[in-house]
Amino acid sequence: MHGSVSPDSLTPGRSGPWAAYADVDAEAAARANAASWTRDADDYLAEHGAVLGAADFVWGPEGLREEDARLLGPVEDLRGSTVVEVGAGAAQCSRWLTARGVRAIATDVSEGMLAAARSLDAATGIRTPTLLADARSLPLPDRSADAVFTSFGAIPFVGDAERVHAEAARVLRSGGLWVCSVTHPVRWMFPDDPTAEGMGVTRPYFDRRPYVETDAAGVRYAEFHRTVGDHVRHVVSAGLDLVDIVEPEWPAGRDVTWGGWGPERGAFVPGTMILVARRPVSGPGA
Ligand SMILES: C[S@@+](CC[C@H](N)C(=O)[O-])C[C@H]1O[C@@H](n2cnc3c(N)ncnc32)[C@H](O)[C@@H]1O
C-alpha cells in the first residue's frame, strides 16, 4: 500500500533508489522500513489521508469499513475492552474505536507515523493512546488484549512476519481475535497499474523474493510477498485457529485509486486479503 512494486517504474541512479526483486537481510529491511515510514509519513498521508479518514476504520482500498464488516465483533461488545492495533500508522482505526469507548492502543514502529497520529488527535479531539513498538516484539504482557488487529500494517514490511502473528497470539487472551489485512497475494503477479494495461501477469506468484529499493547507503525500503498458504501457515504456527479469509470486492461506483488498486482492475482481481483468527479457548486461568 506504500509504493510501487514495479521496478520498471523507477529510474535507477547513482544516488536515487535502485529497485529489484532480491533477497535481503530481514533486520536491515525492517530498519530501513521504519526509517522510510517516518521519512515518507507526510507525503503518504497527503496522498492517502482522505481515503483513510481521520477517525475511520477501513480494512483496505476497497473501503470495507469495520462498522459494516464487524470482523472484530460488534463494537458495542468491545466497549471497555483492550484492543491493540499493530502497524497503526496515524491510528485512524484505533481512533474510531476510541471514539466508541474501546480502550484501543495504537502501536507502530515509525515515530513519524505516530507524530501524525498526535496531529490527527488534535484535529479530531479524540486522544488515542499510542506506543512506539515493533509488531514483532510488543512491550505488552501476555494475554493483555481482548483483540489485536492491523489494517495493512507491519506484515508486508518485515521478512519474518511469523513473528508478528506469534506476538499477536501471545498478547491475546484466550478466545481473543487477531484480524489482519494484507495485500492480496495474487496482486503480486500484476504490475502496479490499476487500469486495463495492468491486467497481464508479469511476476511468478511463487517467487517470494521481496521488492527492494536500495541506494548508495544500502536498503531504503522493502516489501514482502507471501502466498495465501504462507499466510495461513504463519497463523496456524502461532497456535491460532483460522476463522475466515475475507476478500473484499471492489464496490461498484467506488472511484478511488491507490497505487495498484482501482475500480478498473478491481472488478477482476482481488486487492486485499483479511485473515481472521482466534486464540483457542483454553482452561481456567488461560
Ligand atoms: C500502510 S501503513 C498501515 C497503517 C494504516 N492502517 C494505514 O493504512 O495508513 C503501514 C504501517 O506499518 C508500519 N510498520 C512497518 N513495519 C512495522 C513493524 N515492524 N512494526 C510495527 N509497525 C510497522 C509503518 O510504520 C506504517 O505506519
Side-chain angles (χ1 to χ4, degrees):
M1 232 153 129
H2 181 38
S4 165
V5 286
S6 167
D8 300 340
S9 68
L10 289 159
T11 313
R14 252 179 194 289
S15 53
W18 291 74
Y21 293 92
D23 292 326
V24 66
D25 175 72
E27 280 316 310
R31 266 195 313 277
N33 281 337
S36 154
W37 278 101
T38 286
R39 198 173 51 237
D40 298 342
D42 289 346
D43 288 349
Y44 171 80
L45 290 166
E47 191 176 349
H48 302 300
V51 175
L52 293 168
D56 202 357
F57 188 156
V58 292
W59 286 106
E62 296 80 7
L64 181 69
R65 290 196 151 72
E66 176 58 10
E67 181 157 29
D68 304 315
R70 297 178 160 217
L71 300 181
L72 295 172
V75 72
E76 311 81 59
D77 295 355
L78 292 173
R79 199 163 290 142
S81 302
T82 300
V83 176
V84 175
E85 180 175 12
V86 300
Q92 295 91 342
C93 303
S94 286
R95 195 167 294 105
W96 183 85
L97 290 167
T98 302
R100 283 152 187 80
V102 180
R103 272 187 304 173
I105 306 170
T107 73
D108 198 283
V109 77
S110 159
E111 289 178 7
M113 292 301 273
L114 293 184
R118 284 185 285 278
S119 298
L120 289 183
D121 277 2
T124 57
I126 306 166
R127 207 192 73 75
T128 317
T130 57
L131 183 63
L132 184 67
D134 190 318
R136 301 172 302 162
S137 154
L138 294 171
L140 296 169
D142 295 356
R143 298 174 186 165
S144 55
D146 297 293
V148 183
F149 75 94
T150 184
S151 174
F152 275 89
I155 292 171
F157 310 107
V158 296
D160 43 5
E162 57 276 19
R163 288 178 59 192
V164 177
H165 297 278
E167 273 299 84
R170 181 184 67 76
V171 302
L172 270 178
R173 66 159 171 78
S174 166
L177 283 171
W178 162 229
V179 185
C180 52
S181 63
V182 294
T183 303
H184 198 293
V186 306
R187 264 276 281 107
W188 193 255
M189 298 187 291
F190 297 88
D192 219 29
D193 176 350
T195 71
E197 305 295 308
M199 290 292 196
V201 169
T202 53
R203 288 210 45 82
Y205 176 73
F206 295 106
D207 185 348
R208 268 83 157 188
R209 285 176 305 165
Y211 165 81
V212 184
E213 291 176 8
T214 53
D215 64 11
V219 183
R220 268 180 75 88
Y221 176 76
E223 210 168 308
F224 293 83
H225 163 63
R226 283 110 196 166
T227 66
V228 175
D230 295 339
H231 284 292
V232 169
R233 274 184 292 279
H234 288 170
V235 167
V236 172
S237 65
L240 299 166
D241 293 338
L242 186 65
V243 175
D244 200 359
I245 292 180
V246 178
E247 297 166 289
E249 293 188 34
W250 197 274
R254 181 171 172 78
D255 189 19
V256 164
T257 56
W258 182 317
W261 286 259
E264 209 174 340
R265 192 170 61 185
F268 293 83
V269 179
T272 297
M273 183 174 89
I274 312 173
L275 297 151
V276 183
R278 189 182 291 283
R279 181 168 172 160
V281 177
S282 37

